[in-house]
Amino acid sequence: MTDHYAVIGNPIEQSKSPLIHTAFAQVTGQDLDYTKVLSPLGEFAQTVDAFRAAGGLGMNVTAPFKLDAFAYATDLAPSAQMAGAVNAMKFEGDKVYAENFDGLGLVRDVVHNLQCPLQGRRVLILGAGGATRGALLPILAQGPAEVVIVNRTVAKAEELAQLACKHQSGAVPVHGVGYADLRARSFDVVFNATSASLTAQLPPLGASAFAPGCLAYELAYGKGLTPFLKLAQEAGVTRLADGVGMLAEQAAEAFEWWRGVRPDTAAVIRQLTVPLV
Ligand code: ATR
């Protein structure tokens, strides 16, 4: 019997999740289909209820419903609690298990695919919104030397740093600062987790933030050489990446959670890669 999964959002046409999960199902021999569900705004719960009633076993959640999914879940994993948002759900009877695999996907891409260990590294994260919240705990779990969160609105960065310190009992120093506070400090890995790239804007970051041999990682995907990546390139950074690997790896995490089999992501990453030019 074919099992049913889907991604829910509004709009949903742009989603790559069906392509990714269908490819995973083929290579792992899993009998499932994976569709797109367009939910009317304000009708998330009814739309998911209908999907479950028709036998659906799991869903990915994309904008603008990640907070609705958080409220809909009966069992929130720590990753979803820390992120304050849900990107994957599993349905078992009355239970709605909820996860957020974005951070794990990011770390897997950086450490495994890009072969850039985070242990002992100085990490800078630009932005203190949902993307940073999702990424923080998995990054901290790698044991970096330090994590600095920099944000236009400094209070948000400070708040998030405090929350992160509480979660991991201060094992890794985490600081929340403003851009001016960075001065000439440099970092081994710089993540752009702001939404600035979506509007082709550049966070006010100085070129000195990139240490020699640094990895500059844009969490957005498919935008080519964003202003952030261009800044890094002009600063002499040769290790540039966007979020295509993160996208594939968070999907692989969800697939394994649902099906108990881990798919290889290399082919999907190749297929979805947009050149950084
Ligand atoms: P997301 O869920 O994508 O993280 P969000 O929660 O709205 O979206 O957060 C967006 C983040 O990008 C915020 O940290 C925002 O900074 P502020 O908190 O100061 O608003 C940051 N951001 C957006 N546009 C930016 C820009 N042009 N320069 C610097 N930071 C920007």
Side-chain angles (χ1 to χ4, degrees):
M1 201 183 72
T2 303
D3 293 330
H4 304 301
Y5 296 85
V7 57
I8 182 168
N10 186 336
I12 199 60
E13 256 332 291
Q14 78 293 346
S15 175
K16 303 287 183 211
S17 292
L19 181 155
I20 296 172
H21 284 283
T22 303
F24 287 169
Q26 272 164 8
V27 293
T28 57
Q30 294 284 305
D31 185 8
L32 62 88
D33 63 22
Y34 189 108
T35 52
K36 294 176 184 172
V37 172
L38 175 70
S39 171
L41 298 175
E43 290 180 29
F44 174 82
Q46 296 92 312
T47 310
V48 179
D49 285 348
F51 183 76
R52 292 168 68 192
L57 295 182
M59 285 180 131
N60 283 121
V61 183
T62 189
F65 296 125
K66 290 185 179 188
L67 295 179
D68 299 78
F70 189 89
Y72 185 84
T74 61
D75 291 72
L76 288 162
S79 63
Q81 276 169 14
M82 177 66 192
V86 161
N87 86 336
M89 301 187 291
K90 179 158 69 175
F91 309 127
E92 287 178 12
D94 288 343
K95 293 281 192 189
V96 178
Y97 297 98
E99 282 276 4
N100 189 314
F101 290 123
D102 286 336
L104 266 188
L106 171 66
V107 166
R108 170 106 185 160
D109 188 39
V110 170
V111 175
H112 184 81
N113 299 342
L114 302 175
Q115 297 280 298
C116 175
L118 293 174
Q119 190 173 23
R121 302 293 177 95
R122 296 162 297 171
V123 174
L124 177 65
I125 308 176
L126 315 186
T132 300
R133 287 184 77 103
L136 256 180
L137 288 189
I139 289 174
L140 290 170
Q142 294 294 309
E146 173 191 24
V147 172
V148 175
I149 303 165
V150 61
N151 199 41
R152 275 187 318 201
T153 313
V154 183
K156 275 168 73 182
E158 289 172 344
E159 213 174 288
L160 207 45
Q162 271 170 17
L163 191 65
C165 284
K166 227 186 284 168
H167 266 268
Q168 41 105 44
S169 352
V172 177
V174 186
H175 302 289
V177 301
Y179 285 92
D181 304 319
L182 286 177
R183 298 196 187 88
R185 290 210 52 200
S186 57
F187 297 85
D188 306 306
V189 182
V190 182
F191 292 109
N192 183 15
T194 71
S195 51
S197 304
L198 306 178
T199 48
Q201 290 180 323
L202 181 63
L205 182 71
S208 57
F210 305 101
C214 170
L215 168 69
Y217 193 109
E218 172 76 72
L219 269 68
Y221 145 74
K223 306 255 172 243
L225 199 65
T226 61
F228 164 75
L229 291 175
K230 199 152 184 269
L231 175 77
Q233 193 179 54
E234 285 168 2
V237 177
T238 53
R239 304 182 76 190
L240 305 174
D242 77 357
V244 64
M246 174 183 176
L247 175 72
E249 294 299 341
Q250 64 76 29
E253 294 291 337
F255 193 91
E256 185 176 10
W257 184 51
W258 289 328
R259 309 298 300 181
V261 197
R262 180 146 197 121
D264 185 55
T265 53
V268 157
I269 292 175
R270 262 197 314 276
Q271 190 181 349
L272 292 177
T273 291
V274 174
L276 298 180
V277 288

